[in-house]
Amino acid sequence: MAQVQSLERSLSIMEYLARDPAGASVAQLSQEMGLAKSTVHRLLQTLMARGYVQQDQQYGHYQLGVQCLTLASHFLGQLDIRNLAKASLMQLSKDSGEVVHLCILDRNEAVYIDKVESQQTLRMYSQVGRRAMLHCTGVGKALLVGFDEQQVERLIQEKGLPRFTDTTITEAKQLEDEIKQIRQQGYAIDEQEHEKGIRCIAAPIFDYEGKVSAAISIAGPIERMTKERVQKDLPSVMLQHSQLLSKKLGYRGCSKSTQMISGESLR
Amino acid sequence: MAQVQSLERSLSIMEYLARDPAGASVAQLSQEMGLAKSTVHRLLQTLMARGYVQQDQQYGHYQLGVQCLTLASHFLGQLDIRNLAKASLMQLSKDSGEVVHLCILDRNEAVYIDKVESQQTLRMYSQVGRRAMLHCTGVGKALLVGFDEQQVERLIQEKGLPRFTDTTITEAKQLEDEIKQIRQQGYAIDEQEHEKGIRCIAAPIFDYEGKVSAAISIAGPIERMTKERVQKDLPSVMLQHSQLLSKKLGYRGCSKSTQMISGESLR
DNA sequence: AAATGATGTTCCGTATTATGGAACGAAAGG
DNA sequence: CCTTTCGTTCCATAATACGGAACATCATTT
């Protein structure tokens, strides 16, 4: 419960700078956060001395610095799941020709921690480090497999179920049912629920405790990702890899909150 | 000059955690940094409450958290050069079939800020956010084009010229000459100078002020990246893209510290 | 099973350290 | 040229971060 004020303020400053790509001025920050200019200035100086913040060369605005990236790179390096999954991601990308993503759960959001680009020129916009809501994305729904009813309820309370397209799930009941189905079949389909024109198939990965530790997905434009393909063709390869990865994490089958499906193990 | 102690300490903690992928304990941190356990604990609590640090679920070790990645993602988003260069990177990757990188300079090191993977199975290990030394890498030497003699001298004093392979440049004079040549021809070749078996070609990108603002490279195993190919075939495409990007940044030709070469502009 | 040691966590009095106001300089805008 | 806004520096104040000690938790040893 004990918190360090100056550190909290510094983090808030960085998060504020993250919001605005153009950066912010001392005055703007001090106003926005209700702090004295001198306080903001001092914190910025310290952050800048270490490279976590830098000053725009033309306008003098303060913005995030390179050290943020360095930390993130080490964070990614320490994620075992990322190394484990790399080969599968490459394989899936090669087989499907579409973008493949790896996500983990953080604070009721999906966070992209790896991706393999499609070779096609028409591509989805995405980026490692980006966050997405759970109810409207393939990876999100796959991650929801690990939630019990209470957790889903809390999620809805906290974030709501905002509509993005006409197929977005916006009812609690609907989401509950969807999760049950995904749990049964082992994969999730995002039917243009977040972005019109993008269809996606995703699957959860379980760890040795039976907890959902990540999710993988294949996504692409509906012209190539046809209903046919997503429902008939892709589920098997998707399950192949999600089960392989779960196995690598020590997953041995059922667990309290999860029933796994048929699917023989592979090679 | 005025620095905030608690913030500095917090950053040091995070940097220490970055060093060890397994994370660290309170005791270890407090010993290593000469702080009271309670102090370290308090800082960690604050960092953890915000998601910049997390506790290993099995062993309780503290390690970097997801928020680091989120910040980095925003940092990358604010880099204009990255968006500008994306198309060129894709094109270069497609044409060459090898890994393509985009780097910027930070504190006398090259920092990878983007890459496009090769489709070949045999691939170099690299990662966005990673750092590399300047004297022994293609991108590094390309970035050095923007250094004057004093800066090179300071670089050598600060970092030295450590040898990685038998072709690594380890003499100041040799480096100076190399830089001059690169400046003339507009591109740099890394002849297995950092990693045995990897050959690479790189080129600097200039901004509207004539300053070097980034570097791009194509790298791959010597079996595919033959001397022939790197010296005859790739320079032209490399220059094409580096000049295009420089143009996009408002570069209009020569400037005090730089002589540009022939090369007509393109479409 | 009891004891030892090492670690993580909480509490609290102290004074170090972060704070914000004011004053100064510099730059921008009218 | 004057006015305003912003960035930076200085300083007295007290709020806040600090570290020691006590407590809790766990693992290992005897």
Side-chain angles (χ1 to χ4, degrees):
Chain A
M1 241 343 16
Q3 303 295 46
V4 180
Q5 191 184 57
S6 55
L7 175 54
E8 285 198 298
R9 290 172 167 180
S10 307
L11 297 176
S12 296
I13 286 178
M14 295 181 78
E15 285 162 19
Y16 186 90
L17 293 179
R19 253 168 260 147
D20 194 342
S25 64
V26 174
Q28 189 180 345
L29 284 164
S30 87
Q31 261 197 332
E32 206 72 36
M33 330 196 57
L35 299 176
K37 277 191 300 177
S38 54
T39 304
V40 173
H41 184 255
R42 201 170 338 100
L43 295 173
L44 282 172
Q45 288 303 316
T46 308
L47 288 169
M48 202 159 60
R50 297 297 208 97
Y52 293 89
V53 158
Q54 63 193 22
Q55 255 181 309
D56 184 288
Q57 293 187 342
Q58 306 181 54
Y59 304 106
H61 284 170
Y62 290 89
Q63 47 188 212
L64 293 180
V66 191
Q67 274 304 115
C68 298
L69 185 60
T70 307
L71 279 189
S73 144
H74 283 108
F75 167 75
L76 287 175
Q78 86 191 1
L79 285 178
D80 303 333
I81 181 72
R82 196 159 181 267
N83 301 317
L84 273 177
K86 196 71 188 182
S88 281
L89 297 193
M90 299 288 297
Q91 190 62 46
L92 283 170
S93 164
K94 205 169 176 182
D95 291 352
S96 68
E98 306 293 341
V99 198
V100 173
H101 285 118
L102 176 67
C103 287
I104 55 174
L105 182 71
D106 183 69
R107 302 163 172 234
N108 280 344
E109 291 177 330
V111 181
Y112 291 84
I113 58 169
D114 205 0
K115 75 164 172 177
V116 176
E117 295 271 11
S118 119
Q119 284 316 290
Q120 317 281 351
T121 38
L122 177 53
R123 282 171 312 114
M124 266 181 68
Y125 176 73
S126 71
Q127 189 171 303
V128 171
R130 233 184 159 206
R131 288 168 172 271
M133 295 194 77
L134 296 176
H135 72 292
C136 60
T137 55
V139 282
K141 294 196 294 182
L143 291 169
L144 279 176
V145 161
F147 279 40
D148 60 29
E149 289 192 19
Q150 285 177 12
Q151 289 174 302
V152 174
E153 217 171 290
R154 249 180 287 148
L155 167 71
I156 296 175
Q157 274 183 5
E158 189 191 321
K159 304 261 180 188
L161 297 173
R163 176 182 291 288
F164 291 96
T165 69
D166 52 3
T167 48
T168 305
I169 295 176
T170 56
E171 295 297 326
K173 179 73 171 61
Q174 202 184 348
L175 186 59
E176 289 280 11
D177 292 347
E178 176 89 359
I179 294 173
K180 271 177 208 149
Q181 201 197 329
I182 295 167
R183 207 172 275 145
Q184 282 224 329
Q185 62 191 16
Y187 63 90
I189 288 175
D190 161 11
E191 179 57 42
Q192 311 181 57
E193 294 162 35
H194 179 57
E195 209 178 324
K196 203 76 191 153
I198 299 290
R199 196 172 274 134
C200 159
I201 179 169
I205 298 169
F206 300 91
D207 69 9
Y208 68 102
E209 282 177 298
K211 290 198 302 184
V212 176
S213 75
I216 51 178
S217 77
I218 303 174
I222 50 175
E223 290 81 32
R224 295 195 306 259
M225 291 284 280
T226 60
K227 259 191 176 150
E228 182 82 20
R229 191 172 171 219
V230 167
Q231 284 169 0
K232 302 258 167 66
D233 206 25
L234 293 176
S236 65
V237 282
M238 204 69 204
L239 282 174
Q240 238 182 45
H241 285 280
S242 69
Q243 286 169 9
L244 171 64
L245 291 176
S246 296
K247 211 173 169 187
K248 280 191 186 170
L249 287 179
Y251 180 63
R252 310 207 153 276
C254 313
S255 160
K256 56 177 163 51
S257 63
T258 321
Q259 284 101 333
M260 259 309 259
I261 24 64
S262 61
E264 70 284 51
S265 61
L266 32 125
R267 37 163 204 148
Chain B
M1 238 349 9
Q3 302 297 45
V4 180
Q5 191 183 57
S6 55
L7 175 54
E8 284 199 299
R9 289 172 167 182
S10 306
L11 297 176
S12 296
I13 286 178
M14 295 180 77
E15 284 162 19
Y16 186 90
L17 292 179
R19 254 168 260 148
D20 193 342
S25 64
V26 174
Q28 190 180 344
L29 284 165
S30 87
Q31 263 196 332
E32 206 72 37
M33 329 196 59
L35 299 176
K37 276 190 301 177
S38 54
T39 303
V40 172
H41 184 255
R42 203 173 333 103
L43 295 173
L44 283 173
Q45 288 303 317
T46 307
L47 287 169
M48 202 159 59
R50 297 296 208 97
Y52 293 89
V53 157
Q54 63 193 23
Q55 256 182 309
D56 184 288
Q57 293 188 340
Q58 306 180 54
Y59 303 106
H61 284 169
Y62 291 89
Q63 46 190 211
L64 292 181
V66 190
Q67 275 304 115
C68 298
L69 185 60
T70 307
L71 280 189
S73 145
H74 284 106
F75 166 75
L76 286 175
Q78 86 191 1
L79 285 179
D80 302 333
I81 180 72
R82 197 162 181 264
N83 301 317
L84 272 179
K86 196 72 186 180
S88 282
L89 297 193
M90 298 288 296
Q91 191 61 47
L92 283 170
S93 164
K94 204 170 177 181
D95 291 352
S96 68
E98 305 293 342
V99 199
V100 173
H101 285 118
L102 176 67
C103 286
I104 55 174
L105 181 72
D106 183 66
R107 301 161 174 239
N108 281 345
E109 290 177 329
V111 181
Y112 291 84
I113 58 168
D114 205 359
K115 76 164 170 177
V116 177
E117 295 270 10
S118 117
Q119 284 315 289
Q120 317 280 354
T121 38
L122 177 55
R123 284 172 311 114
M124 266 181 66
Y125 177 74
S126 70
Q127 189 172 301
V128 170
R130 234 183 158 206
R131 288 168 173 271
M133 295 193 77
L134 296 178
H135 71 294
C136 61
T137 54
V139 282
K141 294 196 293 181
L143 290 170
L144 279 176
V145 160
F147 279 41
D148 60 29
E149 289 193 19
Q150 286 177 11
Q151 288 174 303
V152 174
E153 216 171 290
R154 248 181 286 149
L155 166 71
I156 295 175
Q157 274 183 5
E158 189 190 323
K159 304 261 180 189
L161 297 174
R163 176 182 292 286
F164 291 95
T165 70
D166 51 3
T167 48
T168 306
I169 295 177
T170 54
E171 294 298 327
K173 179 72 172 62
Q174 202 184 350
L175 185 59
E176 290 278 11
D177 292 347
E178 177 88 0
I179 294 173
K180 271 177 209 148
Q181 201 197 328
I182 296 168
R183 208 171 275 146
Q184 282 224 328
Q185 62 192 15
Y187 63 90
I189 288 176
D190 161 10
E191 178 58 40
Q192 311 181 60
E193 294 163 34
H194 179 57
E195 209 177 325
K196 203 76 191 150
I198 300 289
R199 195 173 275 135
C200 160
I201 180 169
I205 298 169
F206 301 90
D207 68 9
Y208 67 103
E209 283 178 297
K211 289 198 304 185
V212 176
S213 76
I216 51 178
S217 77
I218 303 175
I222 48 174
E223 291 81 33
R224 295 195 306 260
M225 292 284 280
T226 60
K227 259 189 175 151
E228 182 83 20
R229 191 173 171 218
V230 167
Q231 285 169 359
K232 301 258 167 66
D233 208 22
L234 293 176
S236 65
V237 282
M238 205 68 204
L239 282 174
Q240 236 179 47
H241 285 281
S242 69
Q243 287 170 7
L244 172 64
L245 292 176
S246 295
K247 210 171 170 188
K248 280 190 186 171
L249 287 179
Y251 180 63
R252 309 209 154 275
C254 313
S255 161
K256 54 174 165 54
S257 61
T258 319
Q259 283 101 334
M260 259 311 259
I261 23 66
S262 60
E264 71 283 52
S265 61
L266 33 124
R267 31 165 211 149

